[in-house]
Amino acid sequence: MTYALPCPPERALLAEAASRFARDHSPVEALRTSDVGAPAPGGYHRAAGELGWFAMLVPAELGGGSVSESPLADVVAIAVERGANLQPGPFTAMNVVAESLGLAGSALQREEVLPALVEGRRTATWAVTDGCGRWAPGAAVSYAVDGDAFVLDGFAVLVEEAATADWVLVQAGSPSGVTIFVVPTATPGLEVAPREGLDVTRRFGAVRFTGVRVGRSAVVGEPGRGGELAVHQLCVAAVLTAADAVGAMTRDFGTTLEYARTRVAFGRPIGSFQAVKHLLADTSLALEACQAILAAAADAYGTPGFTRYVAVAKAYIGDAAITLGQNCLQVLGGIGYTWEHEHHLYMRRMTADAFLFGDPGAQRASLWPAYGLGEVA
Amino acid sequence: MTYALPCPPERALLAEAASRFARDHSPVEALRTSDVGAPAPGGYHRAAGELGWFAMLVPAELGGGSVSESPLADVVAIAVERGANLQPGPFTAMNVVAESLGLAGSALQREEVLPALVEGRRTATWAVTDGCGRWAPGAAVSYAVDGDAFVLDGFAVLVEEAATADWVLVQAGSPSGVTIFVVPTATPGLEVAPREGLDVTRRFGAVRFTGVRVGRSAVVGEPGRGGELAVHQLCVAAVLTAADAVGAMTRDFGTTLEYARTRVAFGRPIGSFQAVKHLLADTSLALEACQAILAAAADAYGTPGFTRYVAVAKAYIGDAAITLGQNCLQVLGGIGYTWEHEHHLYMRRMTADAFLFGDPGAQRASLWPAYGLGEVA
Amino acid sequence: MSDADLDAYRARARSWLEANLEPVGSPRPRATDVDPGFLAEERRRQRELCSAGYAGIAWPSTYGGQGLSSRHERVFNEEAEGFRTPDFGVLGQTTFGICVPTMLAHGSPELLARHVPHVVAGNSLWVQLFSEPDAGSDLAGVRTRATRSGDRWTVSGSKIWSSGAYFADHGLCLARTSWDVPKHRGLTWFAVPMDAPGVTIRRLRQITGASEFCQVFLDGVELTDADVVGEVDAGWSVARTMLATERGGGSRGAADAAHPADALAPDLVALADGVGRRDDPQVRDLVARAHVADVVMAELRSRVIALSRAGVADPGSLAAYVKLAHGTVTPERARIGLQIAGAAALSWPEGSAAEAATAHAFLAGRSQSIAGGTNEMMRNVIGERLLGLPREHSVDTDVPFAEVIRRTGATPAPGQGPSGECAR
Amino acid sequence: MSDADLDAYRARARSWLEANLEPVGSPRPRATDVDPGFLAEERRRQRELCSAGYAGIAWPSTYGGQGLSSRHERVFNEEAEGFRTPDFGVLGQTTFGICVPTMLAHGSPELLARHVPHVVAGNSLWVQLFSEPDAGSDLAGVRTRATRSGDRWTVSGSKIWSSGAYFADHGLCLARTSWDVPKHRGLTWFAVPMDAPGVTIRRLRQITGASEFCQVFLDGVELTDADVVGEVDAGWSVARTMLATERGGGSRGAADAAHPADALAPDLVALADGVGRRDDPQVRDLVARAHVADVVMAELRSRVIALSRAGVADPGSLAAYVKLAHGTVTPERARIGLQIAGAAALSWPEGSAAEAATAHAFLAGRSQSIAGGTNEMMRNVIGERLLGLPREHSVDTDVPFAEVIRRTGATPAPGQGPSGECAR
């Protein structure tokens, strides 16, 4: 439970449609019986594309278009509903790839890939985390130039829907700089392995690149000059992931609050005990603060302060998400410890969100250079 | 308020005598009117010496002797009472110097310095912290050899009773190793400056060494070979400082608990509200844990595990002391925020103890090498 | 009112400020120990503002204000930021930010006409006479007694934590006027001249060494019906207005300083540099944690103001989010300072205010979690009024106050001498 | 008994162990999913111990025990540490550590003679039937109903969080035998054969994926007076014995593993090495924090045991310190694991238990702060029973339980089918 601030009516409609769509197409209840996350149901992305889920960060002349002046805030509104309803699918990657192709894609990419993504006909994921969970551009995959071709080698984990996506975004490193590739997952040498994980509401796999050869057509922007775009991609992904967490937090907190209002022990509702009431008050404060900083980060999109706001938001929301999951479990008690109660699904999702695209510690460390105070000597 | 475990009857008597002595000679009430700590009253150390305060870590054949098999636990029992009663004077330094002279002092030192300290006729302090608050041996003062003489240069802060002590213990560094000196404070080139500070229950000064020349007679043990003794000295000081904190914590918590039992708001004692009750329960748990780890560290004196236990105890008690001061203030509310209530004196003392001879972070960092896991690469 | 009007107003204000006030570089710290000489000078500055029509900007012109909108006031404050405006220490906020706004909402036209013009002109500073030794968190439990006889009132009791009382001209004082009804229903506010016979002020020394707080003893202070603020026995609704204003829901005097997102916790970065620990990864993490808290708190405050304006919930209750955020972040931030400084925060050369700052911030840190409503009270407000959690069984709200006092074994307070016990 | 006796006992035990049991290198993890084949083998191991006179060492010989002291038992356990002794999974602790000790303190000689020898011989494992869907933290609020008719009892209701019920032979079950007295005064314990008609068991899947907990439905289960444990309607004093035993005040089965002071949090050091972060100062600090907590908790437990022996306070209340320490440190330590592992804890190759361990520890971490008494309940025990703080006003302790149920709008539980709601 959290308060809603007035927002542009188009964005409110967008969020409402997303919420309804989620409940109709992939309800939370469906997840209760699964251990490893379910694939998105047939036609899911296509229908989502019709609702504009992948269009907001793409200019209108390329087939996209946001509903308000603040496009990232529009995507955030969708991401919040997705988190609240534990939705499947590589939503973050698709928006990041779509935005990147709009910003720097070749004519061919804009023609063959971009519309397919915006319309949700095809899907994209990305492979950027190395086996130790580092999110730095170039950490997972490196490339070498061989004549006209680029040869990619490396191993990435936490690749959402690795087995079903049509393209994979790669921020590959080399001594001469970072290059952004969008590679068809069917390319020879690219192997996908399913993985188990903490978050059973989404399906993450691993991707191994063994001498994967791609041409210039797979490069987004200029070879070796992708560093800046790579950082921007990570920032956008971090905001959308934080939004997913805030949605999940809001729903989990609402369920818990209702439980505290109605569950009776010692002859009175447990929420009347200060121990429970004050824990919920602290949790509510943190959740309102998350809403505030998430909105500020989304509004900073396109301004010089974007990177800093993103780091602050992702750091704060990540810690708050883990704490909120713990607090809700403490209030729910035994029932929250069962598989059949939905709490654990939310706790898994929020916790994963806290780490995806940079955990709180890494985000805080990034603030010093972001403020020009330099790396550690 | 905390529980007392059975202990050797002689130690119980020692503690009881220390408590009575403290209340008679330097009661807490006397501190309420002072901003900068009061000097120990006349005859204080002499009378304390008669109670055995400085004798426990010195062998019987050198005029000392403990009351139980566990000499450090005996000193700890006194230190706890000192903390509970906010006692003045360089108790820690005097015990450390006395122990060191017993372990490694020259015949002359054992004849001229040791008995004077054990009997409390004269006092010793030590100068080991540099201006940035580092406690490593050699950080504050360095020395050079000049013929038969040693020349000391440096600047140390947090020197307790710098202006009144007769000797000062120095762990001086040089390229060839650490040398322990016990230097008369009247030595030329040694300048003392009073300082203000957080802890107004004790008087800390700064000492500057400018070409202070001392002879071999000032060296404890072998020149350049004092490293091991220096570490041991810091360990003993850390335990006694932790004990001081535990005494202060116990008293401050007891006062606060009594307030929570009797202070009425909303028609009932505030301690009946879960918000207050649970905060006090958590604080009580931490205090019992402090008592447990303090006893374990004292009992580890003379065993190979001493260093490790000291680091664990000082780290835990330091954090717990700062938190306890905050929690008690929260329960006391406005009255605890006034100068005339004794709480702030305890909060200042405990907080200072948390940092003296190694703050929690430094103690934790020391655990890795203490377990043979090496310094950071 | 159009934006063009506001822009014109801004331009006029700016030229007046440039022509008349002294510029100041960075925000100067608020005066904490106000002496008569300093005060006379600040009153002169306020008169100057008043003559130029820049005092009481959003207050009704009937009472000496300018009758303009709060947007005008905000514009003036923004422009005035770089100039030396009047500094009334802690009474600046209590007078202009709390007492007068509360009186404007509840006071009779006669009362307002008698007092507000003097405030605007710099002749009257106000202190809150609210908490008592036995009424801290339980604010409705005040025992100061006001007894009526004809149109005269006699007030006796003692008040505590009255910041700045020692240089105030008037006090806004809460007293119990009926003892035979539950505690919230027998309270009345009075405007008390601080130089009235029977008023004694004792400055309380605080943990930090400063003495801004006072205890105020009222011993048979004579007032009249004209001094009543709001309705007799309906003082609790006035109190709620005052608390909402105080806890961050109301208007603020000057605009905030620079936004915390503009720089990485500059005080702590400087502190880390001072002890040579800028490159220590743990210090960097602590500084970043403080910065994150600073930025998030600023955004939270903006959100709460926007939520209040949008009317989603009671602004006084929403303000509890801001108050609790301050009450939890401030002590944590003070502790971070201590952790960064380490032993260097324990000792400093005599008289060195700069080096003493970390220790003082640590000592003062928890005032935010106690004064003006403890963290625990704020959690109750959030839990009960915003989250809709059930209240606890109360033993004192449905019972005549005299009965509560009898049960808890305490005696009514009137006539206590200046040795009264301090209180939560 | 002299130390020489004990030494001789130790020597005998050691030779028997060496001659008869299989040595094991490091402590093996407790079985978490017990199947019939495994169980038969473990029962055989227990019979072997029993025949050799090493089962029920400190239990009275009248009931099949050895009638020796708890020091003998401790000596045997120390010696047995390196050997493969019977593993009854979670029921090892509930049977030998909780249920039988509780029965020995309160059961009639007939009851004990009927049950305890079977436990010693490995033929009977016991489960606690205590919590209910509507009686979690409020344990005295159980609604399982036992109705008397002559010397027969009929028991109906449902129990939850009954660890290991699915392979237990008997249950120790708390039921309400009087509804017209306050809740603590109408409770009675029964020994229930788990294969009795009317007993249904449903395994509950937990957050971690395991299914150790069960819900147990009792539908008209027939018992007799001989199955009553302790006095009728005096079950709460039995319950307090059981809780004190469960929360750490009672005897422990096997000796503890290595002391945490012997090594620096080896699990976390290995984790840090696994993700290549051993040299990260923040990781080193986190590991050291966990180590400090581990060592301090071990010392706290020793202190609490010593305080209990010294009789300074009620051991059952003192045990709340140990329980609360576990309940706060365990989730914090689980979070530290997550922080060290970072994203590496989110995903692992299919079937890799080792890489999944950090995530599972995180999911399971909070069970310590809920099961067997929540942190909040422990804080109440410490605050009220140890620190002497006043209890809160209670709305249900002085009222007939039937009246409490009526007021809170719930219906008594008997006869609920296997679709009963879960509970705190």
Side-chain angles (χ1 to χ4, degrees):
Chain A
M1 170 275 172
T2 176
Y3 294 101
L5 268 183
C7 76
E10 294 78 6
R11 192 186 300 152
L13 287 174
L14 189 71
E16 202 187 303
S19 170
R20 200 170 40 242
F21 171 80
R23 279 178 280 122
D24 290 348
H25 286 71
S26 183
V28 172
E29 295 70 38
L31 282 165
R32 295 228 182 115
T33 50
S34 161
D35 274 26
V36 290
Y44 180 91
H45 289 104
R46 188 81 186 239
E50 281 169 21
L51 294 176
W53 282 23
F54 317 114
M56 298 292 146
L57 302 182
V58 176
E61 60 272 23
L62 296 176
S66 60
V67 300
S68 79
E69 305 273 290
S70 184
L72 191 55
D74 296 337
V75 197
V76 157
I78 300 166
V80 165
E81 295 301 332
R82 283 179 43 83
N85 294 284
L86 305 177
Q87 293 302 286
F91 175 81
T92 297
M94 288 179 70
N95 271 291
V96 167
V97 175
E99 187 206 26
S100 300
L101 297 185
L103 288 171
S106 65
L108 195 68
Q109 287 164 344
R110 289 178 175 187
E111 207 168 289
E112 295 196 343
V113 183
L114 186 54
L117 293 179
V118 167
E119 293 162 24
R121 284 185 282 114
R122 312 280 291 278
T123 61
T125 183
W126 77 357
V128 68
T129 325
D130 76 356
C132 290
R134 278 172 300 200
W135 299 96
V141 179
S142 62
Y143 74 93
V145 179
D146 181 14
D148 284 349
F150 300 84
V151 184
L152 279 65
D153 283 281
F155 178 68
V157 298
L158 292 171
V159 184
E160 194 169 0
E161 289 293 334
T164 63
D166 300 294
W167 290 281
V168 58
L169 171 72
V170 183
Q171 301 180 333
S174 79
S176 58
V178 169
T179 300
I180 313 283
F181 297 92
V182 171
V183 181
T185 46
T187 309
L190 196 157
E191 270 176 295
V192 173
R195 306 261 288 184
E196 294 177 351
L198 174 69
D199 178 9
V200 299
T201 72
R202 287 176 287 194
R203 302 194 303 174
F204 294 102
V207 176
R208 186 174 300 281
F209 295 79
T210 313
V212 173
R213 295 180 72 87
V214 295
R216 181 67 179 79
S217 65
V219 175
V220 181
E222 291 300 311
R225 303 267 179 84
E228 205 175 310
L229 179 57
V231 168
H232 178 76
Q233 289 173 332
L234 285 167
C235 282
V236 170
V239 173
L240 296 186
T241 305
D244 189 87
V246 169
M249 292 165 79
T250 303
R251 187 65 58 92
D252 196 33
F253 179 67
T255 305
T256 303
L257 184 61
E258 189 51 31
Y259 183 78
R261 282 195 193 117
T262 52
R263 167 81 181 168
V264 170
F266 303 99
R268 47 194 263 211
I270 61 170
S272 70
F273 287 99
Q274 279 192 336
V276 173
K277 184 181 290 174
H278 288 193
L279 185 64
L280 291 171
D282 283 337
T283 309
S284 167
L285 167 58
L287 186 49
E288 291 300 322
C290 285
Q291 297 275 11
I293 193 64
L294 174 63
D299 286 342
Y301 180 71
T303 75
F306 184 51
T307 318
R308 296 172 179 182
Y309 262 104
V310 170
V312 168
K314 189 70 171 56
Y316 185 83
I317 293 169
D319 279 336
I322 298 176
T323 302
L324 184 139
Q326 295 281 303
N327 292 353
C328 288
L329 181 46
Q330 189 64 29
V331 172
L332 293 170
I335 192 177
Y337 201 73
T338 61
W339 190 279
E340 68 186 301
H341 192 280
E342 67 181 29
H343 164 72
H344 77 103
L345 298 173
Y346 283 93
M347 188 165 88
R348 291 165 184 270
R349 178 98 168 198
M350 294 183 289
T351 304
D353 283 337
F355 288 95
L356 290 170
F357 304 108
D359 67 26
Q363 297 291 356
R364 286 193 296 269
S366 79
L367 280 168
W368 284 73
Y371 278 94
L373 295 169
E375 304 285 347
V376 175
Chain B
M1 170 274 174
T2 175
Y3 294 101
L5 267 184
C7 76
E10 294 78 7
R11 193 187 299 154
L13 287 174
L14 188 72
E16 201 187 304
S19 170
R20 201 170 39 242
F21 171 81
R23 279 178 281 120
D24 290 349
H25 286 72
S26 184
V28 172
E29 295 70 38
L31 281 166
R32 295 227 182 114
T33 52
S34 162
D35 274 26
V36 290
Y44 180 91
H45 289 104
R46 189 79 185 240
E50 283 169 19
L51 294 177
W53 283 23
F54 316 115
M56 298 293 146
L57 302 182
V58 176
E61 61 272 23
L62 296 176
S66 60
V67 300
S68 79
E69 305 274 290
S70 184
L72 191 56
D74 296 337
V75 198
V76 158
I78 300 167
V80 166
E81 295 302 331
R82 284 179 43 81
N85 294 284
L86 305 177
Q87 293 301 288
F91 175 81
T92 297
M94 288 179 69
N95 271 291
V96 166
V97 175
E99 187 207 25
S100 301
L101 297 185
L103 288 171
S106 66
L108 195 68
Q109 286 164 344
R110 289 177 174 187
E111 207 169 291
E112 295 196 344
V113 183
L114 186 54
L117 293 181
V118 168
E119 293 163 24
R121 283 185 282 116
R122 314 278 291 278
T123 61
T125 184
W126 78 356
V128 67
T129 326
D130 76 355
C132 290
R134 278 172 300 198
W135 299 96
V141 178
S142 62
Y143 75 94
V145 180
D146 182 14
D148 284 348
F150 300 83
V151 184
L152 280 66
D153 282 282
F155 178 68
V157 298
L158 291 170
V159 185
E160 194 168 0
E161 288 295 333
T164 63
D166 299 295
W167 289 282
V168 57
L169 170 71
V170 183
Q171 302 181 332
S174 80
S176 57
V178 169
T179 301
I180 312 283
F181 297 92
V182 171
V183 181
T185 47
T187 310
L190 196 156
E191 269 176 297
V192 173
R195 306 261 287 186
E196 294 176 351
L198 174 69
D199 178 9
V200 298
T201 72
R202 287 175 286 194
R203 303 193 303 173
F204 294 101
V207 176
R208 186 174 299 282
F209 295 79
T210 314
V212 173
R213 293 180 74 87
V214 295
R216 181 67 179 76
S217 65
V219 175
V220 180
E222 291 300 311
R225 305 265 179 85
E228 207 174 311
L229 180 57
V231 168
H232 177 76
Q233 289 174 331
L234 285 168
C235 281
V236 170
V239 173
L240 297 186
T241 304
D244 190 87
V246 169
M249 292 164 79
T250 303
R251 187 65 57 91
D252 196 32
F253 180 67
T255 306
T256 304
L257 183 61
E258 189 51 32
Y259 184 79
R261 283 194 194 118
T262 52
R263 167 82 181 169
V264 171
F266 304 99
R268 48 193 262 212
I270 61 169
S272 69
F273 287 98
Q274 281 191 335
V276 173
K277 184 181 290 175
H278 288 192
L279 185 63
L280 290 172
D282 283 337
T283 310
S284 168
L285 167 58
L287 186 49
E288 291 300 322
C290 286
Q291 296 275 10
I293 192 64
L294 175 63
D299 286 342
Y301 180 71
T303 75
F306 185 52
T307 317
R308 296 172 180 181
Y309 261 104
V310 170
V312 168
K314 189 70 172 57
Y316 184 82
I317 293 170
D319 279 335
I322 298 176
T323 302
L324 184 140
Q326 296 281 302
N327 292 355
C328 288
L329 182 45
Q330 190 64 28
V331 172
L332 292 169
I335 191 178
Y337 202 73
T338 61
W339 190 279
E340 67 186 301
H341 192 282
E342 67 180 30
H343 164 73
H344 77 102
L345 299 173
Y346 282 93
M347 189 165 88
R348 291 165 184 270
R349 177 100 168 196
M350 295 183 289
T351 304
D353 283 336
F355 288 95
L356 290 170
F357 304 108
D359 67 27
Q363 297 291 356
R364 286 193 296 270
S366 78
L367 280 168
W368 283 73
Y371 278 93
L373 295 169
E375 304 284 348
V376 176
Chain C
M1 154 203 57
S2 72
D3 284 354
D5 287 346
L6 271 186
D7 289 346
Y9 181 79
R10 185 187 294 276
R12 276 203 310 282
R14 189 182 307 152
S15 18
W16 182 83
L17 286 160
E18 280 165 4
N20 293 280
L21 297 195
E22 187 185 331
V24 285
S26 53
R28 50 189 298 281
R30 201 187 66 188
T32 52
D33 204 358
V34 175
D35 65 31
F38 180 87
L39 196 57
E41 177 62 17
E42 300 306 310
R43 289 194 200 269
R44 189 195 57 71
R45 292 182 201 274
Q46 178 71 19
R47 273 197 302 277
E48 204 175 324
L49 276 189
C50 181
S51 317
Y54 292 114
I57 293 171
W59 295 350
S61 47
T62 342
Y63 308 129
Q66 304 302 323
L68 296 172
S69 73
S70 57
R71 292 176 67 191
H72 286 90
E73 187 175 35
R74 210 149 49 230
V75 160
F76 180 81
N77 287 337
E78 282 163 21
E79 292 303 319
E81 215 179 302
F83 296 92
R84 177 67 168 83
T85 46
D87 173 6
F88 293 117
V90 64
L91 288 188
Q93 175 63 7
T94 51
T95 303
F96 296 91
I98 300 174
C99 290
V100 174
T102 302
M103 287 197 287
L104 286 169
H106 296 274
S108 68
E110 294 73 19
L111 181 98
L112 297 174
R114 188 146 55 93
H115 288 295
V116 179
H118 292 296
V119 172
V120 177
N123 296 323
S124 177
L125 294 173
W126 286 66
V127 59
Q128 287 173 282
L129 301 176
F130 199 164
S131 305
E132 297 184 2
D134 284 314
S137 282
D138 185 8
L139 278 166
V142 300
R143 298 174 183 205
T144 290
R145 173 189 297 269
T147 315
R148 192 176 205 159
S149 161
D151 70 341
R152 318 287 301 174
W153 292 88
T154 309
V155 182
S156 290
S158 89
K159 293 289 178 180
I160 203 165
W161 319 130
S162 301
S163 309
Y166 70 96
F167 67 100
D169 303 293
H170 289 88
L172 202 52
C173 175
L174 185 62
R176 186 164 303 280
T177 39
S178 173
W179 297 75
D180 303 320
V181 291
K183 63 179 182 178
H184 292 96
R185 292 202 262 129
L187 299 169
T188 306
W189 285 90
F190 294 90
V192 180
M194 293 301 283
D195 59 0
V199 175
T200 315
I201 295 161
R202 173 180 163 232
R203 293 179 72 172
L204 289 177
R205 193 164 186 218
Q206 294 147 233
I207 204 170
T208 53
S211 305
E212 199 168 81
F213 294 157
C214 299
Q215 188 162 10
V216 175
F217 301 93
L218 302 135
D219 186 8
V221 176
E222 298 283 340
L223 300 172
T224 73
D225 274 352
D227 298 315
V228 171
V229 180
E231 301 293 314
V232 171
D233 285 349
W236 191 244
S237 74
V238 181
R240 290 191 62 164
T241 301
M242 181 183 269
L243 286 172
T245 313
E246 182 175 355
R247 286 173 188 162
S251 67
R252 330 207 124 252
D256 280 325
H259 194 286
D262 294 344
L264 186 75
D267 55 333
L268 296 177
V269 170
L271 181 62
D273 284 344
V275 292
R277 297 182 69 187
R278 178 194 273 232
D279 289 344
D280 178 336
Q282 289 184 259
V283 166
R284 290 167 81 96
D285 191 57
L286 288 170
V287 172
R289 280 177 192 273
H291 175 75
V292 167
D294 293 346
V295 175
V296 170
M297 201 151 62
E299 297 299 335
L300 174 70
R301 185 200 281 170
S302 303
R303 176 175 166 86
V304 165
I305 291 172
L307 287 172
S308 295
R309 290 205 184 121
V312 301
D314 164 47
S317 305
L318 283 170
Y321 281 126
V322 176
K323 176 75 175 71
L324 180 57
H326 273 278
T328 48
V329 168
T330 311
E332 198 45 52
R333 205 179 189 288
R335 187 167 179 163
I336 285 174
L338 204 61
Q339 283 176 274
I340 294 170
L346 299 191
S347 152
W348 51 85
E350 288 185 309
S352 164
E355 294 192 51
T358 304
H360 278 136
F362 175 70
L363 290 167
R366 203 148 273 275
S367 69
Q368 290 293 326
S369 58
I370 295 169
T374 61
N375 286 356
E376 289 77 18
M377 297 302 297
M378 295 305 107
R379 293 184 181 115
N380 274 346
V381 170
I382 294 170
E384 293 169 7
R385 298 205 208 133
L386 298 175
L387 302 181
L389 293 169
R391 286 171 183 262
E392 278 195 292
H393 172 81
S394 161
V395 299
D396 73 334
T397 41
D398 301 325
V399 180
F401 191 70
E403 169 67 20
V404 173
I405 291 198
R406 203 167 315 121
R407 276 194 214 153
T408 54
T411 46
Q416 258 188 5
S419 65
E421 174 214 8
C422 294
R424 187 170 207 251
Chain D
M1 156 202 56
S2 72
D3 283 355
D5 287 345
L6 271 185
D7 288 346
Y9 182 79
R10 186 186 294 275
R12 274 204 311 281
R14 190 182 307 152
S15 19
W16 182 82
L17 286 160
E18 280 167 3
N20 294 278
L21 296 196
E22 187 186 330
V24 285
S26 53
R28 51 191 297 282
R30 200 186 68 189
T32 52
D33 205 357
V34 176
D35 66 31
F38 180 86
L39 196 57
E41 176 63 16
E42 299 305 312
R43 289 193 200 271
R44 190 195 57 70
R45 290 182 202 274
Q46 178 72 19
R47 273 197 302 278
E48 204 175 324
L49 277 189
C50 181
S51 317
Y54 291 114
I57 294 171
W59 295 351
S61 48
T62 343
Y63 308 128
Q66 305 301 322
L68 296 172
S69 72
S70 59
R71 291 175 70 192
H72 286 89
E73 186 174 36
R74 210 150 48 233
V75 160
F76 180 81
N77 286 338
E78 281 163 21
E79 292 303 318
E81 215 179 304
F83 296 91
R84 176 66 168 83
T85 46
D87 173 6
F88 293 116
V90 64
L91 289 187
Q93 175 63 6
T94 51
T95 303
F96 297 91
I98 300 175
C99 290
V100 174
T102 301
M103 287 197 286
L104 285 170
H106 295 274
S108 68
E110 293 74 18
L111 181 97
L112 297 174
R114 187 145 56 94
H115 287 296
V116 178
H118 292 296
V119 172
V120 177
N123 296 325
S124 176
L125 295 173
W126 286 67
V127 59
Q128 287 173 281
L129 301 176
F130 198 165
S131 304
E132 297 184 3
D134 283 315
S137 283
D138 185 8
L139 279 167
V142 300
R143 297 172 183 207
T144 290
R145 174 190 296 268
T147 316
R148 192 176 207 160
S149 162
D151 69 342
R152 318 287 303 174
W153 292 88
T154 308
V155 182
S156 291
S158 90
K159 294 288 177 181
I160 202 164
W161 318 131
S162 300
S163 309
Y166 69 96
F167 66 100
D169 303 292
H170 289 89
L172 201 53
C173 174
L174 185 62
R176 186 164 304 280
T177 39
S178 173
W179 296 75
D180 302 321
V181 291
K183 64 178 181 178
H184 292 96
R185 291 203 262 127
L187 299 169
T188 306
W189 286 91
F190 294 89
V192 180
M194 295 300 283
D195 57 1
V199 175
T200 315
I201 296 160
R202 172 180 164 230
R203 294 178 73 172
L204 289 177
R205 192 164 188 218
Q206 293 147 233
I207 202 171
T208 53
S211 304
E212 200 169 81
F213 295 156
C214 299
Q215 188 163 9
V216 175
F217 300 93
L218 302 134
D219 187 9
V221 177
E222 299 283 338
L223 301 172
T224 73
D225 274 351
D227 298 316
V228 170
V229 181
E231 301 293 314
V232 171
D233 284 350
W236 191 245
S237 73
V238 181
R240 290 191 62 165
T241 301
M242 181 183 269
L243 287 172
T245 312
E246 182 174 356
R247 284 173 189 163
S251 67
R252 330 208 125 251
D256 279 324
H259 194 285
D262 294 343
L264 187 75
D267 55 332
L268 297 177
V269 170
L271 182 61
D273 284 344
V275 291
R277 296 183 70 186
R278 177 194 272 230
D279 288 345
D280 178 336
Q282 289 184 259
V283 167
R284 291 168 79 97
D285 192 57
L286 289 170
V287 172
R289 279 177 191 274
H291 175 74
V292 167
D294 292 346
V295 175
V296 169
M297 201 150 63
E299 297 299 335
L300 174 70
R301 184 201 281 170
S302 303
R303 177 176 166 84
V304 165
I305 290 172
L307 287 171
S308 294
R309 290 205 183 120
V312 302
D314 164 47
S317 305
L318 283 170
Y321 280 127
V322 176
K323 178 74 175 70
L324 180 58
H326 273 279
T328 49
V329 167
T330 310
E332 198 45 53
R333 205 180 188 287
R335 188 167 179 163
I336 284 175
L338 205 60
Q339 283 176 275
I340 293 171
L346 299 191
S347 153
W348 50 87
E350 287 184 309
S352 166
E355 293 191 53
T358 303
H360 278 136
F362 175 70
L363 291 167
R366 202 149 274 276
S367 69
Q368 290 294 324
S369 59
I370 295 170
T374 62
N375 286 357
E376 290 75 19
M377 296 302 298
M378 295 304 108
R379 292 184 181 114
N380 274 346
V381 169
I382 294 170
E384 294 169 7
R385 298 205 208 132
L386 297 175
L387 302 181
L389 293 168
R391 286 170 184 262
E392 278 195 291
H393 172 82
S394 160
V395 299
D396 73 335
T397 42
D398 302 325
V399 179
F401 191 69
E403 169 67 21
V404 173
I405 291 198
R406 203 166 317 123
R407 275 194 215 153
T408 54
T411 47
Q416 257 189 4
S419 66
E421 173 213 9
C422 293
R424 185 171 209 245

